[in-house]
Amino acid sequence: MREFRTLSLRKKYKRSVMTIGEKTEMSDERLDDFMGRANATYYGNCNPFSDFITSPEISQIFGEILGGWVAVVKQHLPRGPFMLAEAGPGRGTLMSDALRLLQRVPDIMAAMEVHLVETSPRLRQIQKEALAAFDIKPVWHDRIESLPVMPFVFLGNEFLDALPVRQFVRCSEVACGWKERWVRGENFVLHEASDLPAELLLREAEEGEIVEISPAMLHVAEWLGNRLKNGMGAALLIDYGPSRSAPGDSLQALHKGRPADPLMKPGEADLTVHVDFEAIGRKASSTGARCFGPVTQGNFLSELGASARLEQLCRAAPDQAAALRTGLDRLMAPDRMGHLFKVLALTSPDMMKPPGF
Ligand code: SAH
């Protein structure tokens, strides 16, 4: 988001949805398939950072604080090698700011393997350049499943929101109680839902309301949960969305830095949804992992000493103090990114409560 979105919440593109009972056409595509295809093209071909700006790009303090979090959590991992993994590293800015801090922690770099999950070859190249100055040999992966099995810390900032979502509409006139939104050209059509995800049974909605379920996000939560249950580690997931599951259509698009119609120009716009933190936490907990939060990004950064770090940076570079203050304020102020953005931690069952929760 993409801070832009928090400010301009949220010009919705109203469209007519074709009547219930629409026949399936060959070209109809389930929304999650459409979104997965569109975002793969978008991240592969476009420069996302001309459309939106993320926390690490706004303030170096963000990545530094996360680096500090990694250092503390690492003390609770078994001695020996560990993996620092990041999913969706963008321009590599978060990792680079975190590594700058971690370099100052004795012995940590020698024990650390850096693994990055990134599907876009373009962004991989940018990440490689951003991390070239560090004494590490990052390994890239297309999927989380190929990350090596070892003690780990996993970071994901604005990774989940780019994953595909399904949208179900509460509808008492069909036996299963739900219709599903499919994409036909530049419109939604409603089909009787089949293959209902189990998560949907836990959700309540009034007639006509939309409930979003992201099998891809739930898969990440379950995968992390299983890895954490069977080994030592912790994951920190930061994104925008409500703390509790709520009905509503949160699909949004940014094209050339402006809100756009999500079904127009697939592959040229950034498509995201709000992350359902309650569902993520529940799925990860169901595997046996522990779940902390979500807390707001503002509280998390405050707990971890962001203001003290700001003062330190301002003293060191007084001519940049105003910009540094503005940057951190964007991340922490409740009416900007401080409240809408949440932080969720998942840990192995016998791990201590991580800092910030
Ligand atoms: N974390 C970065 C970038 C967020 S943008 C930051 O905070 O600045 C989303 C990132 O996730 C991009 O790097 C994008 O290429 C990557 N991404 C999107 N879908 C992905 C997928 N299915 N698997 C792996 N990475 C993905």
Side-chain angles (χ1 to χ4, degrees), residues 124-179:
R124 280 186 184 199
Q125 186 54 36
I126 294 171
Q127 291 154 17
K128 192 172 172 186
E129 287 159 22
L131 301 177
F134 296 97
D135 186 17
I136 50 160
K137 289 197 175 59
V139 181
W140 277 267
H141 302 258
D142 282 327
R143 303 169 57 77
I144 49 175
E145 287 80 0
S146 64
L147 291 170
V149 178
M150 63 198 297
F152 70 96
V153 184
F154 179 102
L155 303 175
N157 182 58
E158 296 211 37
F159 166 65
L160 294 174
D161 65 60
L163 299 182
V165 76
R166 294 175 71 178
Q167 287 187 334
F168 298 91
V169 184
R170 194 77 175 126
C171 175
S172 57
E173 75 183 52
V174 290
C176 73
W178 298 95
K179 291 248 177 183

Side-chain angles (χ1 to χ4, degrees), residues 206-217:
E206 303 286 327
E207 183 77 13
E209 275 186 326
I210 290 175
V211 166
E212 295 179 332
I213 308 276
S214 169
M217 284 188 220

Side-chain angles (χ1 to χ4, degrees), residues 1-2 36 39-40 42-44 48-49 52-57 62 86-94 116-121 123-124 127 141-144 155-164 216 238 270 272:
M1 123 162 203
R2 311 121 185 204
N39 270 351
Y42 174 74
Y43 283 106
F49 296 91
F52 57 80
I53 185 153
T54 56
S55 299
E57 304 294 336
F62 187 80
E86 188 187 354
R91 299 210 299 200
T93 308
L94 189 169
L116 304 170
V117 184
E118 175 60 71
T119 40
S120 158
L123 289 174
R124 280 186 184 199
Q127 291 154 17
H141 302 258
D142 282 327
R143 303 169 57 77
I144 49 175
L155 303 175
N157 182 58
E158 296 211 37
F159 166 65
L160 294 174
D161 65 60
L163 299 182
I238 306 167
D270 171 51
T272 60

Side-chain angles (χ1 to χ4, degrees), residues 187-222:
N187 289 294
F188 284 113
V189 286
L190 290 173
H191 292 303
E192 185 162 353
S194 59
D195 184 22
L196 294 183
E199 178 72 23
L200 191 60
L201 304 176
L202 305 170
R203 302 292 298 274
E204 284 175 8
E206 303 286 327
E207 183 77 13
E209 275 186 326
I210 290 175
V211 166
E212 295 179 332
I213 308 276
S214 169
M217 284 188 220
L218 295 173
H219 170 73
V220 172
E222 187 171 33

